[in-house]
Amino acid sequence: DTAVSQTPKYLVTQMGNDKSIKCEQNLGHDTMYWYKQDSKKFLKIMFSYNNKELIINETVPNRFSPKSPDKAHLNLHINSLELGDSAVYFCASSHVWAGELFFGEGSRLTVL
Amino acid sequence: AQSVTQPDIHITVSEGASLELRCNYSYGATPYLFWYVQSPGQGLQLLLKYFSGDTLVQGIKGFEAEFKRSQSSFNLRKPSVHWSDAAEYFCAVGPQTGANNLFFGTGTRLTVIP
């Protein structure tokens, strides 16, 4: 059983398209996150949801819209994709603040 | 402003040799400190964490780290490296209270040679 699962694992798309990445966790955590890892492996938080409520929203273009239908799911929708959006996007979860994040395997997005 | 510095981008060690990966941080308050490992094509896995108490913490896979407040450092060590330790290692800091947000360093890639 995968604790934090993301789909799809790979996404290749053209500039201007819209795409979504889905994330589900079966750990019973109440907080979920999206992190972006760029080509230099730098990891930066994008969003955090606690009990379906947005609590962290870093400086991210509004083309990125997270949606949390319930505590176990956090999806990321990206509109009008740009070349600079190419990255690996990681979903993670934790208890409210227990210190440890549990990461999914990542979704590699390539924008052509 | 928060920051985490991992000065070594890439380290190569021989199997069986000892390892130390450096991490320095800048943080407004006493942070929680973490080391995560990322194997190729995988997500990040927690190796160990420091919240308070004993400044030498033990983690999984035989790793340990020492918190030195005076040096703002949290270096990761392993006495004898195995080939399976080859991976990317990330140091991270987070708040003790409040928004649950981790700041990551840029990572150190470890190569292990036979």
Side-chain angles (χ1 to χ4, degrees):
Chain A
D1 278 352
T2 304
V4 181
S5 59
Q6 301 178 224
T7 54
K9 195 164 182 178
Y10 299 96
L11 266 172
V12 181
T13 189
Q14 300 287 329
M15 278 176 55
N17 284 350
D18 303 338
K19 288 294 177 187
S20 292
I21 306 172
K22 295 186 176 182
C23 178
E24 176 181 6
Q25 56 95 3
N26 62 7
L27 298 168
H29 291 159
D30 43 27
T31 306
M32 296 185 72
Y33 313 77
W34 280 109
Y35 276 82
K36 179 181 180 181
Q37 187 176 48
D38 64 21
S39 58
K40 295 184 178 177
K41 299 277 188 173
F42 181 61
L43 265 165
K44 190 174 185 329
I45 192 166
M46 300 173 69
F47 302 104
S48 173
Y49 270 76
N50 177 253
N51 281 321
K52 303 195 297 174
E53 182 183 343
L54 181 65
I55 55 171
I56 292 176
N57 184 357
E58 290 293 308
T59 307
V60 174
N62 57 15
R63 299 181 294 103
F64 290 79
S65 52
K67 282 192 173 48
S68 181
D70 56 56
K71 282 195 330 181
H73 296 84
L74 180 62
N75 303 325
L76 183 66
H77 188 75
I78 316 170
N79 291 326
S80 304
L81 279 157
E82 301 177 356
L83 292 176
D85 297 332
S86 294
V88 181
Y89 292 85
F90 284 99
C91 178
S93 71
S94 74
H95 289 297
V96 175
W97 190 225
E100 179 175 1
L101 298 185
F102 291 78
F103 284 84
E105 294 189 341
S107 297
R108 181 177 293 276
L109 172 64
T110 302
V111 182
L112 304 174
Chain B
Q2 306 93 332
S3 68
V4 179
T5 302
Q6 293 180 246
D8 304 306
I9 295 173
H10 185 201
I11 284 183
T12 299
V13 299
S14 298
E15 192 167 14
S18 64
L19 171 71
E20 182 168 29
L21 302 183
R22 295 182 289 165
C23 173
N24 291 94
Y25 67 89
S26 173
Y27 205 78
T30 303
Y32 286 162
L33 296 156
F34 308 84
W35 275 98
Y36 281 82
V37 60
Q38 183 181 24
S39 297
Q42 301 294 314
L44 283 77
Q45 180 186 21
L46 181 70
L47 279 177
L48 47 76
K49 60 189 176 188
Y50 174 77
F51 283 3
S52 64
D54 191 346
T55 56
L56 184 63
V57 293
Q58 303 297 321
I60 62 171
K61 306 184 183 187
F63 285 91
E64 65 178 26
E66 186 171 13
F67 169 54
K68 293 186 177 179
R69 185 187 304 273
S70 61
Q71 298 177 19
S72 295
S73 70
F74 189 56
N75 294 348
L76 182 71
R77 300 194 292 249
K78 186 169 185 178
S80 176
V81 168
H82 188 262
W83 64 266
S84 61
D85 293 325
E88 192 90 22
Y89 291 81
F90 293 91
C91 181
V93 300
Q96 291 200 3
T97 58
N100 43 352
N101 184 6
L102 288 189
F103 293 92
F104 285 85
T106 49
T108 298
R109 183 158 61 95
L110 174 65
T111 298
V112 180
I113 55 177

